[in-house]
């Protein structure tokens, strides 16, 4: 008797929790363009974007952040997705903007997506790294994360780091740390460049193309009216950081560094830091340190 009561109380609690967690996409985002092509489904738990010949679609976070750990689960456009680009990024505003990018370049059925990454600081990007993935990103949801703290930016896929961009201000490279950023996502047609440099065109007979999003998590400092939601003590990395803000001083431990090297050895297909042809005057300074 007693144990069945405990079980039913636990069921009730977990139901309440599930209800409390529902509507997560709905609470975090506004669909901003696409004239009905972006949709909130399952009580706001699932967000889908679609693209057809007339338009793509997109959404943005209600909040702006200045540092954080952002996780999102995405399931990309299946089948023949050549020419489509699903972008998921953080960006500030203005001509000296900062930006941290994930972009997924579609492909013909059975051919691999390219995961394209970039980091802009004060309006300057040109820091592309591209990867293949070690799974089919259209078959299931996978978690794509951006860890952004004052020392580094770490891009991860299902918890595996794929790229680290370190703060190299000491050698004169601006680092995104003074401008709050919003999260944006969009699904759009880029068949003038995306698939094999624009050679493969979008097959509109397969439209509409749809990408899905769920389980957004922002362990982050929300920026609002010129103030951060994080205690100012968290800006000194030596402060007794609570477990909830450990991301603020997080770095890659040995295991994570090994994982990163595994990805870079086996799945990285482009690295601006290795592109001597592109930078005949010498590689960008941050390339010499990381
Ligand atoms: C598409 O597949 C081809 C052939 O495997 C590959 O070379 C290319 O990198 C893939 N991705 C894109 C976006 O073109």
């Amino acid at each position: 008797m007693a144990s069945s009561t405990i079980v039913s109380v636990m069921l009730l609690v977990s139901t309440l929790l599930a209800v409390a967690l529902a509507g997560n996409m709905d609470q975090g985002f506004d669909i901003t363009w696409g004239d009905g092509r972006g949709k909130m489904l399952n009580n706001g738990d699932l967000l889908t974007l679609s693209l057809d010949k007339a338009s793509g679609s997109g959404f943005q976070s209600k909040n702006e952040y200045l540092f954080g750990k952002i996780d999102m689960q995405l399931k990309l456009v299946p089948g023949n997705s050549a020419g489509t680009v699903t972008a998921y990024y953080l960006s500030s505003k203005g001509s000296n903007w900062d930006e941290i990018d994930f972009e997924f370049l579609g492909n013909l059925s059975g051919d691999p997506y390219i995961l394209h990454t970039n980091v802009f600081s004060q309006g300057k990007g040109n820091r592309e790294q591209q990867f293949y993935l070690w799974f089919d990103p259209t078959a299931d949801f996978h978690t794509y994360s951006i860890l952004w703290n004052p020392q580094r930016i770490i891009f991860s896929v299902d918890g595996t780091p794929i790229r680290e961009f370190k703060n190299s201000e000491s050698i004169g490279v601006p680092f995104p740390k003074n401008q709050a950023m919003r999260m944006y996502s969009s699904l759009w047609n880029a068949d003038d460049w995306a698939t094999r440099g624009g050679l493969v065109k979008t097959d509109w007979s397969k439209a509409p193309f749809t990408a899905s999003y769920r389980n957004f998590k922002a362990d982050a400092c929300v920026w609002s009216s010129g103030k951060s939601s994080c205690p100012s003590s968290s800006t000194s990395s030596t402060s007794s950081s609570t477990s909830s803000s450990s991301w603020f001083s997080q770095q890659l431990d040995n295991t994570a560094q090994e994982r990163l090297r595994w990805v870079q050895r086996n799945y990285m297909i482009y690295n601006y830091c290795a592109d001597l042809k592109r930078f005949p005057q010498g590689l960008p300074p941050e390339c010499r340190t990381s």
Side-chain angles (χ1 to χ4, degrees):
M1 263 315 251
S3 70
S4 77
T5 310
I6 290 171
V7 167
S8 48
V9 166
M10 281 169 61
L11 277 176
L12 177 64
V13 168
S14 60
T15 312
L16 287 173
L17 268 178
V19 170
L21 291 171
N24 151 286
M25 297 301 294
D26 208 8
Q27 284 159 24
F29 300 100
D30 293 313
I31 291 170
T32 42
W33 63 282
D35 201 16
R37 290 175 184 81
K39 291 191 176 74
M40 296 284 183
L41 302 168
N42 303 355
N43 279 325
D45 260 353
L46 181 72
L47 192 161
T48 59
L49 291 182
S50 78
L51 162 73
D52 56 42
K53 202 162 186 179
S55 178
S57 50
F59 63 92
Q60 67 181 44
S61 62
K62 295 187 197 282
N63 287 328
E64 288 187 283
Y65 307 101
L66 187 59
F67 305 122
K69 184 175 182 306
I70 309 276
D71 300 325
M72 178 88 90
Q73 294 192 327
L74 274 76
K75 191 167 147 190
L76 301 177
V77 174
N80 181 358
S81 58
T84 72
V85 172
T86 306
Y88 153 56
Y89 60 103
L90 292 169
S91 180
S92 66
K93 291 223 157 72
S95 54
N96 289 318
W97 80 102
D98 296 331
E99 186 175 317
I100 304 171
D101 286 332
F102 271 115
E103 284 189 306
F104 302 88
L105 318 187
N107 216 336
L108 297 168
S109 296
D111 281 346
Y113 262 80
I114 289 178
L115 169 49
H116 174 98
T117 64
N118 204 352
V119 175
F120 285 71
S121 48
Q122 299 181 10
K124 187 186 162 294
N126 298 327
R127 299 193 176 106
E128 300 85 356
Q129 285 189 357
Q130 295 185 332
F131 305 84
Y132 288 145
L133 293 161
W134 49 94
F135 52 84
D136 173 1
T138 72
D140 272 304
F141 283 93
H142 290 270
T143 305
Y144 301 91
S145 314
I146 296 171
L147 172 83
W148 171 36
N149 69 32
Q151 293 84 35
R152 52 188 39 85
I153 292 163
I154 299 170
F155 296 78
S156 304
V157 176
D158 289 334
T160 296
I162 62 162
R163 173 172 190 178
E164 180 179 28
F165 182 79
K166 290 190 190 140
N167 184 327
S168 305
E169 284 178 310
S170 62
I171 53 167
V173 180
F175 185 81
K177 64 161 215 253
N178 299 314
Q179 307 188 72
M181 300 203 248
R182 206 179 280 283
M183 210 221 88
Y184 297 88
S185 186
S186 56
L187 173 58
W188 46 290
N189 177 47
D191 68 357
D192 51 341
W193 70 275
T195 309
R196 296 180 218 182
L199 288 177
V200 184
K201 298 296 169 193
T202 304
D203 178 0
W204 293 113
S205 75
K206 300 292 187 309
F209 303 100
T210 302
S212 309
Y213 301 76
R214 69 177 192 197
N215 289 344
F216 171 65
K217 192 167 158 246
D219 206 352
C221 306
V222 173
W223 186 258
S224 149
S225 326
K227 278 213 196 82
S228 172
S229 66
C230 290
S232 55
S233 65
S234 66
T235 39
S236 75
S237 51
T238 48
S239 72
S240 59
S241 59
T242 61
S243 60
S244 67
S245 64
S246 61
W247 59 265
F248 199 85
S249 54
Q250 193 177 326
Q251 41 185 316
L252 296 173
D253 62 15
N254 287 340
T255 315
Q257 282 182 32
E258 249 166 63
R259 299 287 292 160
L260 176 73
R261 279 195 291 272
W262 172 78
V263 173
Q264 300 208 331
R265 252 197 322 270
N266 296 291
Y267 296 96
M268 186 157 74
I269 55 168
Y270 178 78
N271 180 6
Y272 77 112
C273 278
D275 195 345
L276 292 161
K277 268 198 230 123
R278 183 175 170 194
F279 301 104
Q281 261 56 280
L283 293 172
E286 72 273 16
C287 295
R288 279 168 246 151
T289 61
S290 48

